[in-house]
Amino acid sequence: MTGSAWQYDEFKQIGTDYGSIEEVAAYDERMAKLRNVGDECSKTLTLLELAPDSRVLEIGTGTGEFALAAAKQCSHVTAFDVSQVMLDYSQAKARDRGINNIAFTRAGFLTFDNSALQIDAVVSQLALHHLPDFWKAVALRRIWHTLKSGGRLFLRDVVFSFDVDDAATCVDRWKNVVIELGGEDLGLEVEAHVREEFSTFSWIMEELLQKAGFSIVNATYQGQTFAEYLCRKD
Ligand SMILES: C[S@@+](CC[C@H](N)C(=O)[O-])C[C@H]1O[C@@H](n2cnc3c(N)ncnc32)[C@H](O)[C@@H]1O
């Protein structure tokens, strides 16, 4: 499919554009107000049941916190992102922390070379919503191909588990929570997310995962706007 004239250009930025190291650093600070990233990483690593020689791949690594945490447990970690600025930032963090077993590569869900990876676990957080639903299906199938039999996918993203009639109430509630935690600017990011990005419904996401060949081991929904899926390739 890569190379077709109708191939989606995943390198074209949608939503908030992090064009400089300063903007990426500001993103990292905002995330620290909204999330307990350290706890998220530990919880995800526990769910994945990794061994020291496990091969782990993160897609949409952003500022790299999960890849950095995984690299302390596993010898082979690969981190993909379409943004060179994000990769520069996360690579600098790895150097500062003395971590040198992460292969940072500029590639995305639709373009990474999945011919020979034989991965034990793939993790993607807050990144798949950058793709429209058809392309999410393509991405999930590519991830399925890259995993070993029995391999796991952990997906965390903005996913809507409200009825469409309740959208205004639910999005406003999400926006207000975010403003309370991180200020008015983050409320604007919520608005832009819903307007311009491709978060989908939970019933579509579950079907996409299953159609790609995964068993959903566990699905958790938070506040009707976030989801976590632990999936297995049988
Ligand atoms: C909101 S950030 C999330 C970063 C990090 N995973 C986290 O949890 O904080 C989304 C990241 O996905 C990346 N991204 C967007 N489209 C992508 C694609 N098609 N393939 C891989 N990464 C993508 C962006 O460059 C950005 O670094």
Side-chain angles (χ1 to χ4, degrees):
M1 199 179 290
T2 311
S4 304
W6 45 270
Q7 169 76 29
Y8 187 77
D9 180 3
E10 64 179 342
F11 290 88
K12 192 179 64 194
Q13 187 66 43
I14 59 143
T16 311
D17 190 4
Y18 301 105
S20 68
I21 289 286
E22 292 70 32
E23 282 165 16
V24 173
Y27 167 85
D28 224 8
E29 276 172 30
R30 287 200 296 281
M31 283 301 109
K33 288 184 192 160
L34 293 181
R35 299 159 66 186
N36 187 331
V37 178
D39 274 7
E40 282 177 14
C41 292
S42 316
K43 197 177 123 197
T44 307
L45 285 166
T46 305
L47 287 173
L48 293 172
E49 298 175 0
L50 299 165
D53 63 347
S54 294
R55 291 185 175 274
V56 182
L57 165 62
E58 186 180 23
I59 309 180
T61 193
T63 58
E65 285 300 332
F66 176 77
L68 290 159
K72 289 187 185 158
Q73 277 195 21
C74 305
S75 43
H76 310 284
V77 179
T78 302
F80 291 144
D81 204 289
V82 292
S83 159
Q84 189 57 52
V85 188
M86 284 288 189
L87 290 169
D88 291 345
Y89 184 85
S90 47
Q91 251 168 320
K93 247 191 204 176
R95 273 195 303 276
D96 288 350
R97 296 185 197 178
I99 292 172
N100 54 18
N101 57 324
I102 306 176
F104 289 97
T105 305
R106 189 164 187 230
F109 293 104
L110 306 175
T111 46
F112 75 93
D113 178 5
N114 69 349
S115 52
L117 287 172
Q118 284 291 301
I119 295 292
D120 294 282
V122 173
V123 170
S124 186
Q125 307 189 89
L126 304 181
L128 191 63
H129 67 262
H130 285 263
L131 298 178
D133 284 358
F134 169 75
W135 294 103
K136 287 190 186 79
V138 174
L140 290 171
R141 191 67 185 152
R142 297 185 90 247
I143 291 171
W144 186 89
H145 277 296
T146 205
L147 279 165
K148 286 180 181 165
S149 178
R152 289 174 172 223
L153 164 65
F154 180 79
L155 181 67
R156 175 182 283 131
D157 208 350
V158 178
V159 173
F160 300 141
S161 50
F162 48 74
D163 289 333
V164 76
D165 289 346
D166 300 329
T169 313
C170 293
V171 171
D172 279 348
R173 191 171 52 221
W174 173 28
K175 196 177 112 181
N176 290 335
V177 169
V178 161
I179 289 173
E180 207 163 294
L181 290 170
E184 289 291 333
D185 283 358
L186 284 181
L188 298 178
E189 285 198 13
V190 167
E191 289 174 0
H193 181 106
V194 178
R195 192 173 57 236
E196 293 161 25
E197 305 192 25
F198 301 107
S199 279
T200 197
F201 286 111
S202 49
W203 49 272
I204 295 179
M205 188 58 83
E206 289 191 9
E207 193 74 7
L208 288 170
L209 286 163
Q210 284 162 350
K211 281 277 193 316
F214 289 106
S215 302
I216 300 175
V217 177
N218 198 15
T220 313
Y221 295 101
Q222 280 168 16
Q224 294 180 291
T225 48
F226 279 90
E228 292 177 4
Y229 302 96
L230 178 66
C231 305
R232 199 184 127 90
K233 173 178 177 172
D234 293 319

